[in-house]
Amino acid sequence: MHLGHGGLEGMGIKNAVDRATIMAAGEAGFIIADPPKIDGKPVEVRVKVGFARLARINTVNLTCDIKLFIDLYWNDPNMVGVDPENVPNYVWRPNAYIYNSIDGTGTNGGKVNEHQVSLMDTETGLMLYPLEVEVTISNDMDLRKFPFDSDAVDIIILQSEDGDAEDWVLRQHENVESSVQFFYNVFETPEWDVNGFSLDFF
């Protein structure tokens, strides 16, 4: 249900001033809709990750710097038929953070730019919430085979602390091949060769 005058009146809010106050709070982002669960099941939020930078791999401090885009996709049946240019500010959106960020474990550590929620498909209610993240992460390394050592840079993405697995869960995007992309020249990573990636969801 949308937070328009008609929808709020149908919820039993008869006073026009009260309805206007609630609508203003919703547009300001102070009110967020409940997760759009279907048949009581958690909302499945599909994840795509794009690397813009992987640098300063520090073998002493066991850290590295990353800049990446985290695209969160889900379907919201409440947005079916809505004009993509008029997505309300109160629409539900998930949130995630880098768990092994040393800039603030358990929070959105480092620099996080949150962009506007977008309606990608008005027929299915496909939504997109993009996050742009710049953090320094903990990167355990085993250098005993130097100079023939290898390093798996683990980037652990978790749902925000205020999230609940009964409401929504992170899932692998259905298009696995494009679920991880690199938007920089991987051959320019100093002293290291980037050989590929793997995904695990649990």
Side-chain angles (χ1 to χ4, degrees), residues 98-172:
I98 307 300
Y99 176 75
N100 54 327
S101 162
I102 65 173
D103 302 287
T105 300
T107 66
N108 283 329
K111 180 181 178 182
V112 178
N113 294 319
E114 301 177 2
H115 298 275
Q116 194 73 17
V117 177
S118 299
L119 175 58
M120 307 300 292
D121 188 341
T122 188
E123 293 186 2
T124 63
L126 177 63
M127 310 297 294
L128 166 63
Y129 185 40
L131 302 173
E132 183 180 340
V133 183
E134 289 186 70
V135 292
T136 299
I137 63 172
S138 174
N139 179 40
D140 292 335
M141 307 175 73
D142 184 353
L143 304 176
R144 288 175 294 181
K145 295 182 179 180
F146 179 84
F148 305 105
D149 52 305
S150 61
D151 176 35
V153 178
D154 292 325
I155 300 172
I156 304 172
I157 302 174
L158 295 183
Q159 71 181 110
S160 55
E161 299 295 328
D162 58 356
D164 191 320
E166 293 185 358
D167 290 332
W168 66 278
V169 291
L170 294 173
R171 289 286 183 261
Q172 180 173 304

Coordinates of all heavy atoms in Angstrom, one line a residue, residues 98-172:
I98 N 30.7 -4.4 4.7 CA 31.9 -5.3 4.6 C 32.3 -5.7 6.0 O 32.8 -4.9 6.8 CB 33.1 -4.6 3.9 CG1 32.6 -4.0 2.6 CG2 34.2 -5.6 3.7 CD1 32.1 -5.0 1.6
Y99 N 32.1 -7.0 6.3 CA 32.4 -7.5 7.7 C 33.8 -7.4 8.1 O 34.1 -7.0 9.2 CB 31.9 -8.9 7.8 CG 32.2 -9.5 9.2 CD1 31.4 -9.2 10.3 CD2 33.2 -10.5 9.3 CE1 31.7 -9.7 11.5 CE2 33.5 -11.0 10.6 CZ 32.7 -10.6 11.7 OH 33.0 -11.2 12.9
N100 N 34.7 -7.7 7.2 CA 36.1 -7.7 7.5 C 36.8 -6.4 7.2 O 38.0 -6.3 7.0 CB 36.9 -8.9 6.8 CG 36.7 -8.9 5.3 OD1 35.7 -8.5 4.8 ND2 37.7 -9.4 4.7
S101 N 36.0 -5.3 7.2 CA 36.6 -4.0 7.1 C 37.2 -3.6 8.4 O 36.6 -3.7 9.5 CB 35.5 -3.0 6.7 OG 35.9 -1.6 7.0
I102 N 38.5 -3.1 8.4 CA 39.1 -2.7 9.6 C 38.7 -1.2 10.0 O 39.1 -0.7 11.0 CB 40.6 -2.8 9.6 CG1 41.2 -1.8 8.5 CG2 41.0 -4.2 9.3 CD1 42.8 -1.8 8.5
D103 N 38.0 -0.6 9.1 CA 37.5 0.8 9.3 C 36.3 0.8 10.3 O 35.9 1.9 10.7 CB 37.1 1.5 8.0 CG 38.3 1.5 7.0 OD1 39.2 2.3 7.2 OD2 38.2 0.7 6.1
G104 N 35.8 -0.3 10.6 CA 34.6 -0.3 11.5 C 33.8 -1.6 11.4 O 32.8 -1.6 10.8
T105 N 34.4 -2.7 11.9 CA 33.7 -4.0 11.9 C 32.3 -3.9 12.5 O 32.2 -3.4 13.6 CB 34.5 -5.1 12.6 OG1 35.8 -5.2 11.9 CG2 33.8 -6.4 12.5
G106 N 31.3 -4.4 11.9 CA 30.0 -4.4 12.4 C 29.2 -3.1 12.0 O 28.0 -3.0 12.4
T107 N 29.8 -2.2 11.3 CA 29.2 -1.0 10.8 C 29.5 -0.8 9.4 O 30.3 -1.6 8.8 CB 29.6 0.2 11.6 OG1 31.0 0.4 11.3 CG2 29.5 0.0 13.1
N108 N 28.9 0.2 8.8 CA 29.3 0.6 7.4 C 30.7 1.3 7.5 O 30.7 2.6 7.4 CB 28.3 1.5 6.8 CG 27.1 0.7 6.3 OD1 27.2 -0.5 5.9 ND2 25.9 1.2 6.3
G109 N 31.7 0.6 7.8 CA 33.0 1.2 8.0 C 33.6 1.8 6.7 O 33.2 1.4 5.6
G110 N 34.6 2.7 6.8 CA 35.2 3.3 5.7 C 34.2 4.3 5.0 O 33.4 4.9 5.7
K111 N 34.3 4.5 3.7 CA 33.5 5.4 3.0 C 32.4 4.7 2.3 O 32.7 3.8 1.4 CB 34.3 6.2 2.1 CG 33.6 7.3 1.3 CD 34.5 8.0 0.3 CE 33.7 9.0 -0.6 NZ 34.6 9.7 -1.5
V112 N 31.1 5.0 2.5 CA 30.0 4.4 1.9 C 29.1 5.4 1.3 O 28.7 6.3 2.0 CB 29.2 3.5 2.9 CG1 28.0 2.8 2.2 CG2 30.1 2.4 3.5
N113 N 28.9 5.3 0.0 CA 28.0 6.2 -0.7 C 26.7 5.4 -1.1 O 26.8 4.5 -1.8 CB 28.6 6.8 -2.0 CG 29.8 7.7 -1.7 OD1 29.7 8.5 -0.7 ND2 30.8 7.6 -2.4
E114 N 25.6 5.8 -0.5 CA 24.3 5.2 -0.8 C 23.6 6.0 -1.8 O 23.4 7.2 -1.7 CB 23.5 5.1 0.5 CG 24.2 4.3 1.6 CD 23.3 4.3 2.9 OE1 22.2 4.9 2.9 OE2 23.8 3.8 3.9
H115 N 23.2 5.3 -2.9 CA 22.5 5.9 -4.0 C 21.0 5.7 -3.8 O 20.5 4.9 -3.0 CB 23.0 5.4 -5.3 CG 24.5 5.7 -5.5 ND1 24.9 6.9 -6.0 CD2 25.6 5.0 -5.2 CE1 26.2 6.9 -6.0 NE2 26.7 5.7 -5.6
Q116 N 20.2 6.3 -4.7 CA 18.8 6.2 -4.7 C 18.3 4.8 -5.1 O 18.9 4.2 -6.0 CB 18.2 7.3 -5.6 CG 16.7 7.5 -5.5 CD 16.4 8.3 -4.2 OE1 17.2 8.9 -3.6 NE2 15.1 8.2 -3.8
V117 N 17.2 4.4 -4.4 CA 16.6 3.1 -4.9 C 15.9 3.3 -6.2 O 15.3 4.3 -6.4 CB 15.6 2.6 -3.8 CG1 14.9 1.4 -4.3 CG2 16.2 2.4 -2.5
S118 N 16.1 2.4 -7.1 CA 15.6 2.5 -8.5 C 14.6 1.3 -8.8 O 14.9 0.2 -8.4 CB 16.7 2.5 -9.5 OG 17.5 3.6 -9.3
L119 N 13.6 1.6 -9.5 CA 12.7 0.6 -10.0 C 13.1 0.2 -11.4 O 13.0 1.0 -12.3 CB 11.2 1.1 -10.0 CG 10.1 0.2 -10.6 CD1 10.1 -1.1 -9.9 CD2 8.8 0.9 -10.6
M120 N 13.6 -1.0 -11.5 CA 14.2 -1.4 -12.8 C 13.2 -2.0 -13.8 O 13.4 -1.9 -15.0 CB 15.3 -2.4 -12.6 CG 16.4 -2.0 -11.5 SD 17.2 -0.5 -12.1 CE 18.1 -1.1 -13.5
D121 N 12.1 -2.6 -13.2 CA 11.1 -3.2 -14.1 C 9.8 -3.0 -13.4 O 9.5 -3.6 -12.4 CB 11.4 -4.7 -14.3 CG 10.5 -5.4 -15.3 OD1 9.4 -4.8 -15.6 OD2 10.8 -6.5 -15.8
T122 N 8.9 -2.2 -14.0 CA 7.6 -1.9 -13.4 C 6.6 -3.1 -13.5 O 5.7 -3.1 -12.7 CB 7.0 -0.7 -14.1 OG1 5.8 -0.2 -13.3 CG2 6.6 -1.0 -15.5
E123 N 6.9 -4.0 -14.4 CA 6.0 -5.2 -14.5 C 6.3 -6.2 -13.4 O 5.4 -6.9 -13.0 CB 6.2 -5.8 -15.9 CG 5.7 -4.9 -17.0 CD 5.7 -5.6 -18.3 OE1 6.1 -6.8 -18.4 OE2 5.3 -5.0 -19.3
T124 N 7.5 -6.3 -13.0 CA 7.9 -7.3 -11.9 C 8.2 -6.7 -10.6 O 8.4 -7.4 -9.6 CB 9.1 -8.2 -12.4 OG1 10.2 -7.3 -12.5 CG2 8.8 -8.9 -13.7
G125 N 8.3 -5.4 -10.5 CA 8.7 -4.7 -9.3 C 10.2 -5.0 -8.9 O 10.5 -4.9 -7.8
L126 N 11.0 -5.2 -10.0 CA 12.5 -5.4 -9.7 C 13.1 -4.1 -9.3 O 13.0 -3.1 -10.0 CB 13.1 -5.9 -11.0 CG 14.7 -6.1 -10.9 CD1 15.0 -7.2 -9.9 CD2 15.3 -6.4 -12.3
M127 N 13.7 -4.2 -8.1 CA 14.3 -3.0 -7.5 C 15.8 -3.1 -7.4 O 16.4 -4.2 -7.4 CB 13.8 -2.8 -6.1 CG 12.3 -2.8 -5.9 SD 11.4 -1.5 -6.8 CE 12.0 -0.1 -5.9
L128 N 16.5 -2.0 -7.4 CA 18.0 -1.9 -7.3 C 18.4 -0.9 -6.3 O 17.9 0.3 -6.3 CB 18.6 -1.6 -8.6 CG 20.1 -1.2 -8.6 CD1 21.0 -2.3 -8.1 CD2 20.5 -0.7 -10.0
Y129 N 19.2 -1.3 -5.3 CA 19.8 -0.4 -4.4 C 21.3 -0.5 -4.5 O 21.9 -1.4 -4.0 CB 19.3 -0.7 -3.0 CG 19.8 0.3 -1.9 CD1 19.8 1.7 -2.1 CD2 20.1 -0.2 -0.6 CE1 20.2 2.5 -1.1 CE2 20.5 0.7 0.4 CZ 20.6 2.1 0.1 OH 20.9 3.0 1.1
P130 N 22.0 0.5 -5.1 CA 23.5 0.4 -5.3 C 24.2 1.1 -4.1 O 23.9 2.2 -3.6 CB 23.7 1.1 -6.6 CG 22.6 2.1 -6.7 CD 21.4 1.6 -5.9
L131 N 25.3 0.4 -3.7 CA 26.2 1.0 -2.6 C 27.6 1.1 -3.2 O 28.0 0.2 -4.0 CB 26.2 0.1 -1.4 CG 24.9 -0.2 -0.7 CD1 25.2 -1.3 0.4 CD2 24.3 1.0 -0.1
E132 N 28.2 2.2 -2.9 CA 29.6 2.4 -3.4 C 30.5 2.4 -2.1 O 30.3 3.3 -1.2 CB 29.7 3.7 -4.1 CG 31.1 4.0 -4.7 CD 31.1 5.3 -5.4 OE1 30.0 5.8 -5.8 OE2 32.2 5.9 -5.6
V133 N 31.4 1.5 -2.0 CA 32.2 1.3 -0.8 C 33.7 1.4 -1.0 O 34.2 0.8 -2.0 CB 31.9 -0.1 -0.2 CG1 32.6 -0.3 1.1 CG2 30.4 -0.4 0.0
E134 N 34.3 2.2 -0.1 CA 35.8 2.2 -0.1 C 36.2 1.9 1.3 O 36.0 2.7 2.2 CB 36.2 3.6 -0.5 CG 36.0 4.0 -2.0 CD 36.7 5.3 -2.3 OE1 37.9 5.4 -2.3 OE2 35.9 6.3 -2.6
V135 N 37.0 0.8 1.4 CA 37.4 0.4 2.8 C 38.8 -0.3 2.7 O 39.2 -0.7 1.6 CB 36.4 -0.6 3.4 CG1 35.1 0.0 3.7 CG2 36.2 -1.8 2.5
T136 N 39.4 -0.4 3.9 CA 40.6 -1.2 4.0 C 40.1 -2.4 4.8 O 39.4 -2.4 5.8 CB 41.6 -0.5 4.9 OG1 42.0 0.7 4.2 CG2 42.9 -1.3 5.1
I137 N 40.5 -3.6 4.2 CA 40.0 -4.9 4.8 C 41.2 -5.7 5.4 O 42.3 -5.5 4.9 CB 39.3 -5.7 3.8 CG1 40.2 -6.1 2.6 CG2 38.0 -5.0 3.2 CD1 39.5 -7.2 1.7
S138 N 40.8 -6.5 6.3 CA 41.8 -7.4 6.9 C 42.0 -8.5 5.9 O 41.1 -9.1 5.3 CB 41.3 -8.0 8.2 OG 42.1 -9.0 8.7
N139 N 43.3 -8.9 5.6 CA 43.6 -9.8 4.5 C 44.7 -10.7 5.0 O 45.9 -10.5 4.8 CB 44.1 -9.0 3.3 CG 44.5 -9.9 2.2 OD1 43.8 -10.9 1.9 ND2 45.6 -9.6 1.5
D140 N 44.3 -11.8 5.7 CA 45.3 -12.8 6.2 C 46.1 -13.4 5.0 O 45.5 -13.8 4.0 CB 44.6 -13.9 7.0 CG 44.1 -13.3 8.3 OD1 44.6 -12.3 8.8 OD2 43.1 -13.9 8.8
M141 N 47.4 -13.5 5.2 CA 48.2 -14.1 4.1 C 49.2 -15.1 4.7 O 49.6 -15.0 5.8 CB 49.0 -12.9 3.4 CG 48.1 -11.8 3.0 SD 49.1 -10.4 2.3 CE 49.6 -11.1 0.8
D142 N 49.5 -16.0 3.8 CA 50.6 -17.0 4.1 C 51.7 -16.8 3.1 O 51.6 -17.2 1.9 CB 50.0 -18.4 4.0 CG 51.0 -19.5 4.4 OD1 52.2 -19.2 4.7 OD2 50.6 -20.7 4.5
L143 N 52.8 -16.3 3.6 CA 53.9 -15.9 2.8 C 55.1 -16.9 2.8 O 56.2 -16.6 2.3 CB 54.4 -14.5 3.2 CG 53.4 -13.4 3.1 CD1 54.0 -12.1 3.7 CD2 52.9 -13.2 1.7
R144 N 54.8 -18.1 3.4 CA 55.9 -19.0 3.5 C 56.4 -19.6 2.2 O 57.6 -20.1 2.2 CB 55.4 -20.2 4.4 CG 55.2 -19.8 5.9 CD 54.7 -20.9 6.7 NE 53.3 -21.2 6.3 CZ 52.5 -22.2 6.9 NH1 53.0 -22.9 7.9 NH2 51.3 -22.4 6.5
K145 N 55.7 -19.5 1.1 CA 56.1 -19.9 -0.2 C 56.7 -18.8 -1.0 O 56.9 -19.0 -2.3 CB 55.0 -20.6 -0.9 CG 54.5 -21.9 -0.2 CD 53.4 -22.6 -1.0 CE 53.0 -23.9 -0.3 NZ 51.9 -24.6 -1.1
F146 N 56.9 -17.6 -0.4 CA 57.5 -16.5 -1.2 C 58.8 -16.9 -1.9 O 59.6 -17.7 -1.4 CB 57.8 -15.4 -0.2 CG 58.4 -14.2 -0.9 CD1 57.6 -13.2 -1.5 CD2 59.8 -14.0 -0.9 CE1 58.1 -12.1 -2.1 CE2 60.3 -12.9 -1.6 CZ 59.5 -11.9 -2.1
P147 N 59.0 -16.6 -3.2 CA 58.1 -15.6 -4.0 C 57.1 -16.3 -4.8 O 56.6 -15.7 -5.8 CB 59.2 -15.0 -4.9 CG 60.1 -16.1 -5.2 CD 60.2 -16.9 -3.9
F148 N 56.7 -17.5 -4.5 CA 55.7 -18.3 -5.2 C 54.4 -18.4 -4.5 O 53.6 -19.3 -4.7 CB 56.2 -19.7 -5.6 CG 57.5 -19.7 -6.3 CD1 58.7 -20.0 -5.7 CD2 57.5 -19.3 -7.7 CE1 59.9 -20.0 -6.4 CE2 58.7 -19.3 -8.3 CZ 59.9 -19.6 -7.7
D149 N 54.2 -17.4 -3.6 CA 53.0 -17.5 -2.7 C 51.8 -16.9 -3.5 O 51.9 -16.3 -4.5 CB 53.2 -16.6 -1.5 CG 53.7 -15.2 -1.8 OD1 54.7 -15.1 -2.5 OD2 53.0 -14.3 -1.4
S150 N 50.6 -17.2 -3.0 CA 49.3 -16.7 -3.6 C 48.5 -16.2 -2.4 O 48.7 -16.5 -1.2 CB 48.6 -17.8 -4.3 OG 48.2 -18.9 -3.5
D151 N 47.5 -15.4 -2.7 CA 46.7 -14.8 -1.7 C 45.3 -14.7 -2.2 O 45.0 -14.2 -3.3 CB 47.2 -13.3 -1.4 CG 46.3 -12.6 -0.4 OD1 45.8 -13.2 0.5 OD2 46.2 -11.4 -0.6
A152 N 44.4 -15.2 -1.3 CA 42.9 -15.1 -1.6 C 42.4 -14.0 -0.8 O 42.4 -14.0 0.5 CB 42.2 -16.4 -1.2
V153 N 42.0 -12.9 -1.4 CA 41.5 -11.7 -0.8 C 40.0 -12.0 -0.5 O 39.2 -12.0 -1.4 CB 41.6 -10.5 -1.6 CG1 41.0 -9.3 -0.9 CG2 43.1 -10.2 -1.9
D154 N 39.7 -12.2 0.8 CA 38.3 -12.5 1.2 C 37.5 -11.1 1.5 O 38.0 -10.3 2.2 CB 38.2 -13.3 2.5 CG 38.7 -14.7 2.2 OD1 38.5 -15.2 1.1 OD2 39.4 -15.3 3.1
I155 N 36.4 -11.0 0.8 CA 35.6 -9.8 1.0 C 34.2 -10.4 1.5 O 33.5 -11.0 0.8 CB 35.4 -9.0 -0.2 CG1 36.8 -8.5 -0.7 CG2 34.4 -7.8 0.0 CD1 36.7 -7.8 -2.1
I156 N 33.9 -10.2 2.8 CA 32.8 -10.8 3.4 C 31.7 -9.7 3.5 O 31.8 -8.7 4.2 CB 33.1 -11.3 4.8 CG1 34.3 -12.3 4.7 CG2 31.9 -11.9 5.5 CD1 34.8 -12.7 6.1
I157 N 30.6 -9.9 2.8 CA 29.5 -9.0 2.7 C 28.3 -9.6 3.6 O 27.9 -10.7 3.3 CB 29.0 -8.8 1.3 CG1 30.2 -8.2 0.4 CG2 27.8 -7.8 1.3 CD1 29.8 -8.1 -1.0
L158 N 27.9 -8.9 4.6 CA 26.8 -9.3 5.4 C 25.7 -8.3 5.4 O 25.9 -7.1 5.1 CB 27.3 -9.4 6.9 CG 28.4 -10.5 7.2 CD1 28.6 -10.5 8.7 CD2 27.9 -11.9 6.7
Q159 N 24.5 -8.8 5.7 CA 23.3 -7.9 5.9 C 23.6 -7.0 7.1 O 24.2 -7.4 8.1 CB 22.0 -8.6 5.9 CG 21.8 -9.4 7.2 CD 20.4 -10.1 7.2 OE1 20.4 -11.3 7.1 NE2 19.3 -9.4 7.2
S160 N 23.0 -5.8 7.1 CA 23.2 -4.9 8.2 C 22.8 -5.5 9.5 O 21.9 -6.4 9.6 CB 22.5 -3.6 7.9 OG 21.1 -3.8 7.7
E161 N 23.3 -4.9 10.6 CA 23.0 -5.4 11.9 C 21.5 -5.3 12.3 O 21.0 -6.0 13.1 CB 23.9 -4.7 13.0 CG 25.4 -4.9 12.8 CD 25.8 -6.3 13.0 OE1 25.2 -7.0 13.8 OE2 26.8 -6.7 12.3
D162 N 20.9 -4.3 11.7 CA 19.4 -4.2 12.0 C 18.6 -5.0 11.1 O 17.3 -5.0 11.2 CB 19.0 -2.7 11.9 CG 19.3 -2.1 10.5 OD1 19.9 -2.9 9.7 OD2 18.9 -1.0 10.2
G163 N 19.2 -5.9 10.3 CA 18.4 -6.8 9.5 C 18.1 -8.1 10.2 O 18.7 -8.4 11.2
D164 N 17.1 -8.8 9.7 CA 16.7 -10.1 10.3 C 16.5 -11.1 9.2 O 15.9 -10.8 8.1 CB 15.4 -9.9 11.0 CG 15.0 -11.1 11.9 OD1 15.2 -12.2 11.4 OD2 14.5 -10.8 13.0
A165 N 17.1 -12.3 9.3 CA 17.1 -13.3 8.3 C 15.6 -13.8 8.1 O 15.4 -14.4 7.1 CB 18.0 -14.5 8.7
E166 N 14.7 -13.5 9.0 CA 13.3 -13.9 8.8 C 12.7 -12.9 7.8 O 11.6 -13.2 7.3 CB 12.6 -13.9 10.1 CG 13.1 -15.1 11.0 CD 12.2 -15.2 12.3 OE1 11.3 -14.3 12.5 OE2 12.5 -16.1 13.1
D167 N 13.3 -11.7 7.7 CA 12.7 -10.7 6.8 C 13.4 -10.7 5.4 O 12.7 -10.5 4.4 CB 12.9 -9.3 7.4 CG 12.0 -9.1 8.6 OD1 10.9 -9.7 8.7 OD2 12.4 -8.3 9.5
W168 N 14.7 -10.8 5.4 CA 15.4 -10.8 4.1 C 16.7 -11.5 4.2 O 17.3 -11.5 5.3 CB 15.5 -9.4 3.5 CG 16.4 -8.5 4.3 CD1 16.1 -7.8 5.4 CD2 17.8 -8.1 4.0 NE1 17.1 -7.0 5.8 CE2 18.2 -7.2 5.0 CE3 18.7 -8.5 3.0 CZ2 19.4 -6.7 5.0 CZ3 19.9 -8.0 3.1 CH2 20.3 -7.1 4.1
V169 N 17.2 -12.0 3.1 CA 18.5 -12.8 3.0 C 19.2 -12.4 1.8 O 18.6 -12.0 0.7 CB 18.3 -14.3 3.1 CG1 17.8 -14.7 4.4 CG2 17.3 -14.7 2.0
L170 N 20.6 -12.4 1.8 CA 21.4 -12.2 0.6 C 21.5 -13.5 -0.1 O 21.7 -14.6 0.4 CB 22.8 -11.7 1.1 CG 22.8 -10.3 1.7 CD1 24.2 -10.0 2.2 CD2 22.4 -9.3 0.7
R171 N 21.4 -13.4 -1.4 CA 21.5 -14.6 -2.3 C 22.4 -14.3 -3.5 O 22.5 -13.1 -3.9 CB 20.1 -15.0 -2.8 CG 19.3 -15.6 -1.7 CD 19.8 -17.0 -1.4 NE 18.9 -17.7 -0.4 CZ 19.2 -17.8 0.9 NH1 20.3 -17.2 1.4 NH2 18.4 -18.4 1.7
Q172 N 23.0 -15.3 -4.1 CA 23.8 -15.1 -5.3 C 22.9 -14.7 -6.5 O 21.8 -15.2 -6.6 CB 24.4 -16.5 -5.6 CG 25.3 -16.4 -6.9 CD 26.1 -17.7 -7.1 OE1 26.8 -18.1 -6.2 NE2 25.9 -18.4 -8.2

